[in-house]
Amino acid sequence: MADDGVNTKVEAVSKATTETIELRTEDGGVFDVDKPVAMEFLILKSFYEDEGRVFDKTSIRLPNVKQLELSKVIEYCTRALEFGAKSAAAAGDKDAERMVRQEREGFEAEFVDELSNEMLKELILAVNFLDIKEMLDFLIRSVANRIRNRSVAYVRQFFDIENDFTPQEEDQIHQENAWAFEGVDAD
Amino acid sequence: MVMNNHFPEDLLLQILVWLPVISLSRFKCACKSWCAFISDQTFIDEHLLHTQSPSNRNKNALFLVNQRDKIPSKHVVSTLSYETLQVSLAQVPLPSLYSGIIDKKVEIFIVGSCNETKVVPVSNLPGLPANYRASPNGIGFGFDAKTHNYKIIRNFRFFERYPNLDEYEMGLVDENEMGIMFYSEVYSLRTDSWTQVDSLPFCIWNACRGMKTNLNGIGNWWASDTDHWEGILSFDIAKEVFLITPMPDDSLIYNGYRCDVEYFLLNELVAVAISWKNRHAEGSVRMCWDVWLLHEYGVRESWTKLFRVGPLTGIRRPLEFWKNDIIFLEKDDGQLALYDVSTKEMMTILQIGGDHVFSFQVISYMKA
């Protein structure tokens, strides 16, 4: 019954807030974004607060963001706000808190699993531009997890790095750190 | 420094601080600028700061379990992840030279996180008069965060070689009548040399337990002197000075009932577990431990009694704490167990135990 109460609360919040803002991406995408979600993008938040503007349905162009990335960002931020509300509602109840936490972890694992390396990098750049701290932390940790057990070749490919070592130089560094090459995931 | 065309350096830094040392060492091979970046002291500091921050600390932490097996020269070191207590055997094989001494092993493993073992040069002990002999009195290893330097602190007692060794060994000799000198020295990795530091006249008990160093760079032992004083002897690694704190209460000084004192760290503070034996009605022996926590070095009144563990049977001694109210225990049959103080539940986690007394050592450990 506590669950129902939480869900009703979350629905009420999103229904009451019908204010949206139109965001246009550099590749022609147009998105109507709910105000609470849009305010998670600090780049937008400061725009409104600095200029002292009234939040009206102005259209904002986002030069560094593409449709695919923006849709993913909106998806994540919307769910993050929902989890935040559920967490707050569950405060004090250890079991309920744990359930929310597990639900969130499940969502995040699935979210990141679906992202290719290229997409992950593009998302990080977009989220960095939009200045969304929580999502940026999440994506950064996800990249770290993805590469931690991988080979040097994998990492070079991931970050578009050119190997500027001579074979002898690379060999030497490899020797100095030979222990670090055990148990690495196969490419 | 531009590391590549696409990915901004500050974002790269944020990713790299999350990586464990083993990955970072490997990725030095990626390219020249990565190698330079990862090896740079500024990055190393950032990484250490990040790894040690309260929110991240426990994710990377491990317990090292050092076991002495029945075969005397064999040590096994296992690691337990702090979060999940998943057991795995250590990757680094320990140099066989050091198999006899437990605490030296600890020091080597910590240095060995970079898989570098360094042979420390022999120190210049002062010339001793012919009838004196030296006895090691505790050794500790730690990191001086202020100067980014690794140090070893080593103590000795020099005392007159009593003509009748048997009498001495049987405890029939009053040490006050013998000339005793205390000597301490510090080895610095930077200078690769030993220097003498001012010593304090205390004997370190159970030196094989090792010096317990907290993240503030203070190493601690349980110590006593010849006048029935007992307490914590601490060494500030950065300042290279000793501090002493007497034990919580005079009633706890060694007498017929008190058995042993174990010392360890709990939330960066020094804790001691003082044990008593309870002879149970049926004749079995049960042990109790009172756990005290020291909040301020040198201030006797700042000890607080946390809780009592037991009475329990079949337990030899407590080892370390995990997450505040769960404690590692060494059992009489040589197994390592976990005991929850609040629920009083016991669980065995390592079966590979040895027959030796004090065959376990559990140290919390973080790779940096």
Side-chain angles (χ1 to χ4, degrees):
Chain A
M1 302 316 118
D3 239 20
D4 284 344
V6 169
N7 284 333
T8 317
K9 236 190 231 176
V10 172
E11 278 170 26
V13 165
S14 50
K15 275 187 186 144
T17 318
T18 49
E19 285 186 86
T20 62
I21 179 172
E22 186 180 273
L23 297 177
R24 289 183 289 127
T25 64
E26 70 174 6
D27 55 350
V30 179
F31 293 82
D32 262 331
V33 184
D34 285 344
K35 180 180 177 184
V37 176
M39 290 298 101
E40 291 290 295
F41 309 177
L42 289 189
I43 197 179
L44 292 183
K45 186 164 189 204
S46 57
F47 175 70
Y48 278 95
E49 283 172 1
D50 286 350
E51 306 286 316
R53 278 172 214 263
V54 172
F55 193 94
D56 56 14
K57 203 182 158 116
T58 328
S59 187
I60 296 189
R61 221 187 109 250
L62 299 173
N64 295 334
V65 185
K66 298 202 190 70
Q67 311 188 48
L68 199 46
E69 279 97 53
L70 190 56
S71 74
K72 280 283 172 193
V73 170
I74 292 169
E75 181 193 341
Y76 183 89
C77 290
T78 310
R79 293 300 301 275
L81 284 176
E82 284 173 15
F83 284 120
K86 280 190 188 174
S87 228
D93 180 346
K94 276 203 168 162
D95 287 328
E97 279 177 351
R98 198 180 349 116
M99 267 186 59
V100 176
R101 198 168 45 240
Q102 284 175 347
E103 206 192 328
R104 178 167 195 158
E105 283 167 8
F107 159 70
E108 287 183 340
E110 235 185 87
F111 182 89
V112 88
D113 261 353
E114 290 172 355
L115 301 173
S116 67
N117 287 348
E118 205 47 50
M119 189 60 188
L120 191 45
K121 280 196 302 181
E122 292 297 326
L123 261 187
I124 287 184
L125 293 173
V127 170
N128 190 42
F129 169 74
L130 294 170
D131 200 358
I132 312 171
K133 187 169 186 331
E134 202 186 356
M135 188 172 179
L136 187 61
D137 280 349
F138 164 67
L139 292 174
I140 281 177
R141 274 184 288 122
S142 302
V143 171
N145 278 337
R146 199 174 272 203
I147 64 173
R148 65 192 278 154
N149 260 359
R150 307 305 304 241
S151 67
V152 176
Y154 185 95
V155 163
R156 283 193 189 125
Q157 209 214 18
F158 191 101
F159 289 102
D160 269 322
I161 300 171
E162 214 187 279
N163 181 9
D164 53 357
F165 282 126
T166 66
Q168 294 91 330
E169 285 170 339
E170 191 179 340
D171 222 30
Q172 192 190 352
I173 304 201
H174 194 291
Q175 295 269 14
E176 286 169 9
N177 299 285
W179 64 287
F181 288 81
E182 293 167 26
V184 171
D185 291 349
D187 284 341
Chain B
M1 181 195 57
V2 176
M3 289 177 62
N4 77 45
N5 295 329
H6 308 286
F7 223 71
E9 192 177 300
D10 64 324
L11 289 179
L12 208 33
L13 167 67
Q14 288 184 58
I15 294 172
L16 293 181
V17 288
W18 281 102
L19 293 177
V21 171
I22 190 172
S23 308
L24 289 170
S25 301
R26 191 166 64 242
F27 296 159
K28 280 183 187 172
C29 286
C31 67
K32 286 183 179 169
S33 54
W34 272 54
C35 188
F37 188 76
I38 293 172
S39 312
D40 186 58
Q41 191 60 50
T42 320
F43 173 71
I44 293 175
D45 289 346
E46 275 291 333
H47 186 264
L48 188 61
L49 209 66
H50 182 264
T51 316
Q52 283 187 353
S53 78
S55 53
N56 298 326
R57 192 187 299 168
N58 294 334
K59 294 195 183 95
N60 294 320
L62 299 169
F63 283 113
L64 291 180
V65 181
N66 181 14
Q67 300 156 245
R68 220 175 359 164
D69 231 341
K70 284 184 188 176
I71 309 157
S73 59
K74 194 163 167 255
H75 266 83
V76 173
V77 180
S78 326
T79 60
L80 301 179
S81 130
Y82 188 93
E83 287 285 300
T84 63
L85 288 187
Q86 189 184 5
V87 184
S88 61
L89 288 176
Q91 293 169 311
V92 182
L94 295 160
S96 56
L97 287 173
Y98 299 98
S99 52
I101 311 160
I102 297 181
D103 65 334
K104 275 213 165 77
K105 260 206 181 325
V106 170
E107 266 87 63
I108 286 170
F109 201 96
I110 293 174
V111 176
S113 71
C114 308
N115 210 41
E116 285 169 44
T117 47
K118 185 171 166 63
V119 178
V120 169
V122 175
S123 69
N124 299 318
L125 290 184
L128 295 176
N131 61 335
Y132 271 74
R133 66 175 178 174
S135 166
N137 190 32
I139 188 169
F141 174 84
F143 179 67
D144 176 353
K146 292 198 176 74
T147 57
H148 301 292
N149 192 12
Y150 285 97
K151 294 181 184 171
I152 301 177
I153 167 76
R154 192 162 64 171
N155 307 313
F156 288 96
R157 285 187 302 160
F158 303 139
F159 49 94
E160 276 181 273
R161 194 186 297 276
Y162 202 76
N164 190 336
L165 268 179
D166 288 330
E167 264 193 46
Y168 177 74
E169 255 130 36
M170 277 160 53
L172 295 174
V173 170
D174 182 0
E175 284 197 359
N176 282 328
E177 290 179 9
M178 293 182 3
I180 301 183
M181 292 192 296
F182 291 86
Y183 179 84
S184 299
E185 57 183 1
V186 171
Y187 169 81
S188 144
L189 188 65
R190 274 208 178 182
T191 62
D192 195 26
S193 64
W194 292 91
T195 12
Q196 187 180 3
V197 292
D198 288 336
S199 192
L200 285 183
F202 295 98
C203 292
I204 291 176
W205 284 95
N206 302 323
C208 62
R209 306 281 200 275
M211 180 172 90
K212 308 281 169 130
T213 316
N214 65 15
L215 287 174
N216 297 325
I218 312 244
N220 305 279
W221 296 277
W222 180 257
S224 71
D225 72 3
T226 48
D227 260 329
H228 301 293
W229 181 98
E230 286 182 342
I232 299 288
L233 177 65
S234 313
F235 183 68
D236 184 325
I237 293 174
K239 295 183 187 153
E240 295 184 4
V241 288
F242 285 98
L243 314 150
I244 50 159
T245 317
M247 74 146 85
D249 194 276
D250 281 338
S251 65
L252 300 168
I253 293 176
Y254 184 74
N255 53 39
Y257 299 101
R258 200 199 79 189
C259 294
D260 218 350
V261 176
E262 295 293 336
Y263 57 100
F264 35 79
L265 295 178
L266 186 52
N267 289 336
E268 305 311 312
L269 296 175
V270 182
V272 291
I274 300 173
S275 67
W276 274 270
K277 270 189 195 158
N278 265 308
R279 285 221 174 267
H280 209 225
E282 299 107 53
S284 67
V285 176
R286 299 200 296 173
M287 302 283 283
C288 273
W289 289 268
D290 281 339
V291 179
W292 294 76
L293 195 63
L294 178 64
H295 293 273
E296 216 180 305
Y297 290 107
V299 180
R300 188 182 212 181
E301 297 70 27
S302 71
W303 285 102
T304 53
K305 189 169 174 184
L306 285 186
F307 45 71
R308 171 167 287 189
V309 178
L312 297 171
T313 48
I315 302 298
R316 196 167 284 155
R317 60 186 185 124
L319 292 163
E320 279 294 339
F321 269 87
W322 181 58
K323 296 189 180 173
N324 285 351
D325 53 4
I326 300 181
I327 188 167
F328 284 100
L329 299 174
E330 178 182 332
K331 294 169 73 175
D332 281 334
D333 56 7
Q335 295 186 336
L336 184 67
L338 270 186
Y339 178 76
D340 187 324
V341 179
S342 38
T343 65
K344 303 209 189 318
E345 283 168 30
M346 178 106 62
M347 186 177 74
T348 306
I349 41 178
L350 272 186
Q351 311 273 1
I352 333 168
D355 231 7
H356 277 273
V357 180
F358 309 131
S359 57
F360 274 107
Q361 192 174 22
V362 177
I363 311 127
S364 56
Y365 161 75
M366 210 162 45
K367 289 184 181 170

